[in-house]
Amino acid sequence: IEARKNGLSYLIIEKGCLVNSLYNYPLNMTFFSTSERLEIGEVPFISHGAKPNRVEALEYFRRVSTTWNLNVKLYEKVMSVEPSPSGHVVKTSKGAYSCSQAILALGFYDLPYLLNVPGEELPKVKHYYDEPHPYFGQKIIVVGAANSAVDVALETFRKGAEVTMVIREPAILESVKYWVKPDIENRIKEGSIKAYFNSEIRKIDNISVEIETPDGVRILENDFVLAMTGYQPPFEFMEACGIKFRDDEFHTPVYNEQTMESNVPNLYLAGVVCGGLKTNKWFIENSRVHASMIVQAIRKNSGK
């Protein structure tokens, strides 16, 4: 949208469907942000509640794409971004494109943190969650203590699953949505949802899960493991593009905070990927400004 406003030719390449990451969110997910904080391109975002849900967001971004007649290539995976005399060559699963500037808005939702335990490869272990119905009447373990894990635990519990949480931390995280945190804490307190704190999974098999707790090893009967352990940016891909990283705990990529340009000339970063492993630093409502910052930097560099 910013490129169009400023008379620049552009192409958006998406490896899946439009806003593929949002599409892969849980079916009943509600955003933390209110609808007006998600708006882009002067297109109003109308939702039934103050906080829109996934279905409303998908409808909204389809409308944004149609309103601005955006030049988007869908279901085309980028394999590499390589330097060229004119700027970059972007090679994809369907071809190659030359460009003077490239912007990586990669997000972090494609690479889950693995448990790295025996049995994780079993079909019963899921790193993504869609809806609660398949877990009705099943013994499930939810791994994690952040928003995703809490949402999954509450939703599956209320749809008839027997839910146990396995949590490395001593408590539910303070970052959990303020209107949800008391709910999960009360369900744990009353025993409706069982929780093992300061605990970790050690082994998974077809009928049970072995966990290490402060009181020793426990063997729990189990049908499914929903590992809501978080996700990470595609660091290997970024490194292959030549991007360097700061020597900090978050593996933060190197970029100019005024222009969003990385250490690679004419290669920019936008959105949550700028935070490295600190994936809660940037999100839609506070990274929308990256687009205008990048386009203004491109105009300045090109003398326009």
Side-chain angles (χ1 to χ4, degrees):
I1 291 170
E2 288 297 322
R4 283 202 57 184
K5 286 180 179 179
N6 287 272
L8 303 178
S9 61
Y10 70 94
L11 174 64
I12 303 168
I13 305 175
E14 168 64 78
K15 80 170 190 178
C17 61
L18 188 71
V19 292
N20 191 64
S21 290
L22 300 188
Y23 173 75
N24 285 306
Y25 283 176
L27 298 186
N28 298 320
M29 191 212 72
T30 298
F31 281 82
F32 189 91
S33 302
T34 53
S35 56
E36 75 275 4
R37 292 184 176 273
L38 302 178
E39 290 179 358
I40 58 174
E42 295 85 47
V43 179
F45 189 168
I46 307 300
S47 60
H48 287 93
K51 300 176 185 297
N53 59 37
R54 170 187 169 277
V55 171
E56 291 170 329
L58 295 179
E59 169 63 30
Y60 175 71
F61 288 112
R62 289 195 299 269
R63 188 152 42 86
V64 168
S65 183
T66 301
T67 299
W68 284 93
N69 192 26
L70 296 180
N71 187 16
V72 184
K73 297 278 189 179
L74 300 175
Y75 299 99
E76 186 165 352
K77 183 177 181 178
V78 173
M79 312 305 292
S80 66
V81 179
E82 302 171 2
S84 72
S86 60
H88 305 282
V89 173
V90 179
K91 296 182 179 179
T92 76
S93 57
K94 295 183 180 180
Y97 306 88
S98 294
C99 59
S100 59
Q101 326 275 341
I103 304 166
L104 303 182
L106 302 171
F108 71 101
Y109 200 54
D110 286 334
L111 299 174
Y113 284 108
L114 299 180
L115 300 172
N116 293 315
V117 298
E120 187 170 14
E121 74 284 353
L122 292 171
K124 65 183 280 186
V125 181
K126 313 288 185 181
H127 289 280
Y128 293 89
Y129 169 79
D130 47 10
E131 60 175 326
H133 178 76
Y135 308 108
F136 169 79
Q138 301 295 289
K139 293 180 174 66
I140 71 168
I141 285 179
V142 178
V143 184
N147 279 303
S148 294
V150 169
D151 286 345
V152 169
L154 288 171
E155 189 169 29
T156 52
F157 158 68
R158 292 201 163 100
K159 300 302 180 183
E162 183 180 320
V163 180
T164 300
M165 300 184 75
V166 176
I167 299 169
R168 287 189 305 176
E169 293 80 7
I172 297 296
L173 297 185
E174 290 299 323
S175 59
V176 168
K177 292 173 285 195
Y178 66 85
W179 65 92
V180 174
K181 191 167 181 286
D183 190 1
I184 188 66
E185 290 175 335
N186 287 331
R187 301 295 75 73
I188 293 172
K189 184 177 180 180
E190 72 186 15
S192 299
I193 294 175
K194 177 70 175 177
Y196 289 92
F197 294 103
N198 298 306
S199 302
E200 294 188 62
I201 289 180
R202 295 302 185 195
K203 182 181 177 182
I204 303 169
D205 64 30
N206 283 318
I207 61 173
S208 67
V209 170
E210 178 182 306
I211 66 172
E212 182 75 38
T213 78
D215 298 321
V217 173
R218 298 286 184 91
I219 306 296
L220 307 179
E221 289 186 18
N222 173 256
D223 298 304
F224 290 96
V225 175
L226 303 182
M228 302 293 103
T229 49
Y231 308 91
Q232 57 185 308
F235 291 126
E236 288 186 11
F237 178 83
M238 297 169 71
E239 289 170 357
C241 293
I243 293 173
K244 295 181 179 179
F245 297 84
R246 299 173 188 169
D247 185 19
D248 63 16
E249 61 179 309
F250 300 114
H251 205 54
T252 307
V254 173
Y255 67 95
N256 184 312
E257 295 186 2
Q258 279 68 53
T259 66
M260 308 307 293
E261 187 175 20
S262 73
N263 61 281
V264 179
N266 303 315
L267 182 61
Y268 298 82
L269 301 178
V272 69
V273 75
C274 299
L277 291 173
K278 195 172 184 179
T279 53
N280 62 349
K281 178 178 180 179
W282 297 105
F283 33 94
I284 296 176
E285 70 172 69
N286 70 349
S287 66
R288 293 178 298 177
V289 296
H290 291 174
S292 58
M293 293 167 66
I294 291 169
V295 169
Q296 293 309 312
I298 290 173
R299 289 188 60 183
K300 183 177 181 181
N301 290 342
S302 62
K304 291 188 177 181

